[in-house]
Structures are given as structure tokens and as C-alpha cells.
């Protein structure tokens, strides 16, 4: 995720588990790995946190970590922060307890696996890894080390999203979920060269949010993508994706990154159909419920102290390290979101419906090959199927 891909002024998170009372001993000392735009956003997040303490910054480019510290960290606090190009070296020098991995996706697997085997829990930026096989492999490394690896799906932490879920449950639960997304950003750079920019870089947020709203486990994905004649993207900048769940619910995402004019919010616009009525959410303000036999109900506004986006992801991670509940985006749970993304791409390319069970079994085979070459984890040998391993984990 890039800091330029979405606005950061509008928050997004649900209630976060209680954390220990503020104090030096309660704060989790963390190292941020990756000093680019998003890395700097995470540095700022840690600096304002009452659950974590910044003790180090790492970047593969020599001098980049020190530069980021000089730009973001107040001068009076810079002396206590270690920097360098090697994660484990900086973590050891800084006496860190955890790592925040904000590297490019291709680096997620080695950075996270190395940290876990060094005894360091990891909070990673989405996606979990560059490929589904690497994501499944990291689930195995987390099992082998017994260390927490969770992925920051920041939009999952949105009070409005969870209020929409509450309203839907009051109407009998969501059985049909529709998401409309329409924006026209001109990013430049790698997104405009990707084969599937919308599905891979943006729709992942909606897919993950859908999992918050819908009971059950995703089963299959059918997708089509297209690129209008006026598009400034090389790859398909628009797509329709249909996700079916074992509960019988269906989530349909229809989105575009090249639709100037009438645009939705960055969270999209949502309609949830339930047995007793429907719920509507514009992605920015409290959702509303429309009971079949009653008047419209406006959802509750977030609490004044609600945590949003990166702040919520960090607080939830630190709470887990201090004895709180395991985050919902722990790697075993988050792999399902990445599986939906990979299934959507596979469906577009093949023109066929993709079964997630088959995709996960294929990823498990690839992950076992990766782990065999690596030699540090045999946890996946106990998995009977990809789906079963993720469910047990």
C-alpha cells in the first residue's frame, strides 16, 4: 500500500481491545522496516502511539533509514533510535520486541520469516506476501516459531463498517452485499503499468471488508475486468468480482479507477440486503438501516476515542503482545483475503469460476516447496489441505 494511493485524513477502525495503562514498561519497542512513503506514515503512527515505542528504522538503501528519522522524528527523540540496512542487527541493537514490515511485497516473505525465527512478532503491511504460496508459507513459519504475525488491513478497523455489520445482524444478517467503487486517481508509476491494478492494489480492501460483514468462509470467485478506451492505465482499471460464501451469502464488487466525474468515497458505497430489510453505507458517514416494516434508522456515530486505520492496527497488535486477543487479521485469517485477490485474477485470466479450496491446495504445495528449500519450518507438513490448515491455525 502506498501513502499516495488513498487519502490519510479520513480514519478507518473498529473498537480495539484494551491495552495496558500507558507507561514505559507497557509500550512495545518496535522497529519499522521500510523507510519510503508508507514507512514514514508508520513511523508517525508509532510516534503518536500510546501502545508502542519507536526504537529503530531499517531500509535496504544505505542512509534511507537515517534520513527518514531526520525527517519525521522530533530532534529531541532522534538520538535513541537505531538505524541501518539489516533488520535483525538493528532490532538487536535497539532491543526491539517486534517488527513492523513496510517493505515492498516481494520482500515481505524473507523479512517476516527472518524476524519470526529471530523471536520477533511481526505486523506487516498488506498484502501478506507477494504470492499466495508465500502467504501460506508465512502461516507455517508463524506456527513453527509460535510468534504472532498479523497483517494490517486498515479498513477492517472502521467503526462505520462494524456498525453496518451490527445493523445488518439486527435485520437478520447480510445475505447479499454490493459494493460500488468509482474513482479516477492519476498515480503515475507502477500502478499504471500493472496488469490488474484495481483488483490487486485497491479491491483487496473491499474484499477484506466484505469478510467483516458476511458470516462464513469464502468459497468461490468469478471475475471479469476491462479497460475503457479513455483509461490511462496499461492494465485493466475496472472490474466486477463476485464472491460466494459457504453461508450462502454473495458479495459483488463493481469498481473502476478510471471513472472521473461522480466518484464514491475511497471506501466505496455499500448496500447490504437482509431478511428483515437493508443497510446502506456511503463509506464515510454512519450507515443507515431500512427495516422492511419500519422507519429508517441512522447508525451510531463512532466513539470520540475510537482508533482508526494504522493507529487501530498498531494498538490491536500491541494489545495481543501484552496478553490481549489474537487479531482477526492474524496470518491464518488474512490469507483468505489474499486468496480472494488471487482467485479474482485467476478468474479474469481463465474466464472461469475459481474454487478457493483448489487454489489453497495449490498454494500449500508451493509453500511446502519454499519451506523445504528454506529448511526452518516443517509446520505445513501437518496440514491436510490448505483450507483445513488455515481453519485450524
Amino acid at each position: 500500500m502506498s501513502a499516495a494511493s488513498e487519502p490519510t485524513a479520513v480514519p478507518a477502525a473498529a473498537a480495539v481491545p484494551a491495552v495496558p495503562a500507558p507507561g514505559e514498561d507497557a509500550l512495545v519497542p518496535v522497529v519499522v522496516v521500510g523507510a519510503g512513503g508508507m514507512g514514514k506514515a508508520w513511523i508517525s503512527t508509532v510516534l503518536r502511539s500510546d501502545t508502542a515505542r519507536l526504537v529503530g528504522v531499517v531500509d535496504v538503501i544505505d542512509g534511507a533509514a537515517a534520513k527518514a528519522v531526520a525527517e519525521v522524528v522530533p530532534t529531541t527523540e532522534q538520538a535513541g533510535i537505531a538505524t541501518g540496512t539489516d533488520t535483525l542487527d538493528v532490532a538487536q541493537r535497539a532491543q526491539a520486541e517486534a517488527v513492523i514490515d513496510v517493505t515492498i511485497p516481494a520482500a515481505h516473505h524473507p523479512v517476516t520469516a527472518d524476524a519470526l525465527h529471530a523471536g520477533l512478532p511481526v505486523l506487516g503491511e498488506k498484502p501478506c506476501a507477494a504470492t499466495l504460496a508465500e502467504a501460506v508459507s508465512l502461516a507455517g513459519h508463524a506456527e513453527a516459531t509460535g510468534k504472532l504475525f498479523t497483517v494490517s488491513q486498515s479498513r477492517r478497523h472502521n467503526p462505520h463498517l462494524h456498525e453496518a455489520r451490527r445493523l445488518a445482524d439486527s435485520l437478520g444478517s447480510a445475505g447479499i452485499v454490493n459494493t460500488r467503487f468509482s474513482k479516477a486517481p492519476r498515480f503515475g508509476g507502477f500502478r499504471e503499468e500493472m496488469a490488474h491494478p484495481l483488483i490487486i492494489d485497491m479491491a483487496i480492501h473491499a474484499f477484506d471488508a466484505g469478510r467483516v460483514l458476511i458470516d462464513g468462509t469464502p468459497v468461490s470467485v468469478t471475475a471479469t475486468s476491462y479497460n475503457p478506451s479513455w483509461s490511462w492505465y496499461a492494465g485493466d482499471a475496472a472490474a466486477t468480482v463476485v464472491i460466494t460464501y459457504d453461508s450462502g451469502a454473495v458479495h459483488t464488487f463493481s469498481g473502476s479507477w478510471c471513472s472521473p466525474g461522480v466518484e464514491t468515497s475511497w471506501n466505496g458505497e455499500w448496500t447490504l440486503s437482509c431478511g428483515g430489510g437493508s443497510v446502506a453505507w456511503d463509506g464515510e458517514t454512519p450507515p443507515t438501516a431500512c427495516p422492511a416494516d419500519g422507519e429508517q434508522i441512522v447508525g451510531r456515530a463512532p466513539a470520540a476515542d475510537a482508533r482508526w486505520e494504522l493507529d487501530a492496527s498498531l494498538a490491536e497488535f500491541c494489545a495481543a503482545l501484552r496478553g490481549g486477543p489474537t487479531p482477526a487479521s492474524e496470518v491464518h485469517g488474512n490469507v483468505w483475503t489474499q486468496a480472494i485477490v488471487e482467485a479474482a485474477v485467476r478468474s479474469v485470466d481463465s474466464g472461469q469460476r475459481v474454487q478457493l479450496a483448489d487454489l489453497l491446495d495449490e498454494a500449500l504445495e508451493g509453500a511446502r516447496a519454499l519451506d523445504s528449500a528454506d529448511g526452518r519450518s516443517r509446520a505445513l507438513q501437518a496440514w491436510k489441505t490448505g483450507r483445513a490448515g488455515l481453519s485450524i491455525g
Side-chain angles (χ1 to χ4, degrees), residues 2-377:
S2 165
S5 64
E6 305 109 49
T8 56
V10 179
V16 172
V19 297
E24 195 67 16
D25 292 339
L27 301 180
V28 177
V30 302
V31 167
V32 173
V33 185
M38 200 62 197
K40 292 174 184 176
W42 270 106
I43 291 171
S44 296
T45 300
V46 176
L47 290 175
R48 65 173 175 263
S49 171
D50 61 359
T51 62
R53 175 167 56 92
L54 184 69
V55 295
V57 178
V58 177
D59 195 278
V60 69
I61 300 175
D62 191 25
K67 181 180 179 182
V69 169
E71 292 177 358
V72 181
V73 180
T75 305
T76 55
E77 300 176 32
Q78 292 176 11
I81 299 174
T83 61
T85 59
D86 183 275
T87 300
L88 301 187
D89 172 66
V90 171
Q92 184 177 35
R93 287 192 283 118
Q95 296 185 309
E97 288 185 25
V99 163
I100 301 177
D101 180 5
V102 202
T103 59
I104 61 173
H108 286 187
H109 186 273
V111 168
T112 298
D114 287 350
L116 293 174
H117 285 278
L120 297 165
V122 178
L123 172 61
E125 257 297 341
K126 68 88 179 168
C128 178
T131 68
L132 188 59
E134 289 185 351
V136 172
S137 170
L138 288 176
H141 284 286
E143 290 183 16
T145 60
K147 296 301 178 182
L148 175 65
F149 170 39
T150 188
V151 180
S152 176
Q153 293 281 171
S154 60
R155 282 179 172 77
R156 173 177 284 264
H157 298 290
N158 187 319
H160 298 314
L161 176 69
H162 289 266
E163 178 65 1
R165 169 67 195 245
R166 187 190 71 82
L167 292 173
D169 286 350
S170 73
L171 297 174
S173 79
I176 303 173
V177 175
N178 291 309
T179 309
R180 186 178 74 85
F181 177 83
S182 181
K183 300 292 283 187
R186 292 182 177 269
F187 297 116
F190 72 93
R191 288 181 184 81
E192 294 189 6
E193 301 302 321
M194 294 171 64
H196 302 283
L198 180 76
I199 291 176
I200 293 175
D201 199 62
M202 188 67 225
I204 184 174
H205 292 297
F207 300 159
D208 192 68
R211 294 183 55 221
V212 172
L213 298 170
I214 298 171
D215 285 328
T217 302
V219 172
S220 66
V221 176
T222 305
T224 57
S225 68
Y226 32 96
N227 209 29
S229 60
W230 63 84
S231 172
W232 48 95
Y233 293 82
D236 288 353
T240 298
V241 181
V242 180
I243 307 157
T244 61
Y245 282 72
D246 59 8
S247 61
V250 176
H251 179 197
T252 301
F253 168 87
S254 181
S256 168
W257 252 355
C258 58
S259 293
V262 179
E263 299 185 12
T264 65
S265 73
W266 276 98
N267 289 320
E269 294 179 350
W270 297 72
T271 302
L272 287 62
S273 295
C274 315
S278 61
V279 176
W281 180 41
D282 64 5
E284 292 184 336
T285 60
T288 57
C290 300
D293 57 356
E295 297 182 358
Q296 176 176 291
I297 301 169
V298 178
R300 299 177 301 201
D305 60 351
R307 300 180 193 264
W308 300 76
E309 289 198 354
L310 303 187
D311 299 290
S313 291
L314 179 59
E316 184 182 60
F317 176 66
C318 292
L321 297 184
R322 292 293 185 255
T326 300
S329 285
E330 188 272 338
V331 58
H332 292 78
N334 186 258
V335 167
W336 288 102
T337 294
Q338 184 155 349
I340 293 172
V341 174
E342 191 149 328
V345 171
R346 189 80 61 93
S347 180
V348 166
D349 291 343
S350 68
Q352 299 178 345
R353 174 178 291 184
V354 174
Q355 300 294 326
L356 292 186
D358 295 338
L359 194 65
L360 288 170
D361 284 346
E362 178 185 317
L364 175 58
E365 183 177 347
R368 283 173 172 162
L370 289 171
D371 291 355
S372 177
D374 178 273
R376 290 180 293 179
S377 171

